[in-house]
Amino acid sequence: MMTGGLSGTHPATPEIQRLVEKVKPQLEEKENKTYLLFKAIEYKTQVVAGTNYFIKVHCDTDEYVHLRVFQSLPHENQGPSLTSYQTGRTKDDSLNYF
């Protein structure tokens, strides 16, 4: 994959699930909502000065959200940050750049 390009879609891994768990409080604060279910389904990556992760998350019944999470380079010692998100998504919505 070329730097800056979006990868193909991959099934979520335990590492991706840990990533979404770390940014879950950020989304809950922005949405003023508590999510009981928060399961990563699939993801894409974009290599920049770090990595952007585009992640489809199943939360509560038939609700899905798409998250864009930025993970800085390891030497910067910064945790992941939720940089953008889309609510009201469905199981069949594909992950695209946003």
Side-chain angles (χ1 to χ4, degrees):
M1 180 181 66
M2 186 171 55
T3 301
L6 206 55
S7 75
T9 305
H10 306 283
T13 63
E15 178 184 342
I16 296 299
Q17 183 62 41
R18 285 190 293 276
L19 194 64
V20 300
E21 290 297 331
K22 288 180 181 178
V23 299
K24 180 182 175 192
Q26 295 173 45
L27 179 65
E28 289 177 332
E29 183 178 338
K30 290 176 187 283
E31 286 291 299
N32 195 27
K33 181 177 182 177
T34 300
Y35 293 97
L36 301 176
L37 174 65
F38 210 68
K39 182 180 179 191
I41 303 299
E42 60 188 20
Y43 72 101
K44 292 182 178 185
T45 59
Q46 178 189 36
V47 177
V48 289
T51 304
N52 280 322
Y53 292 88
F54 295 82
I55 309 166
K56 180 187 291 188
V57 178
H58 183 200
C59 48
D60 305 335
T61 319
D62 291 331
E63 185 178 352
Y64 288 78
V65 296
H66 290 184
L67 308 178
R68 184 170 72 200
V69 177
F70 177 72
Q71 179 62 63
S72 62
L73 296 170
H75 69 276
E76 294 178 1
N77 295 323
Q78 295 178 9
S81 62
L82 179 65
T83 55
S84 188
Y85 64 96
Q86 297 177 330
T87 58
R89 307 305 293 186
T90 69
K91 178 182 177 182
D92 297 323
D93 288 339
S94 58
L95 281 169
N96 297 307
Y97 183 89
F98 58 94

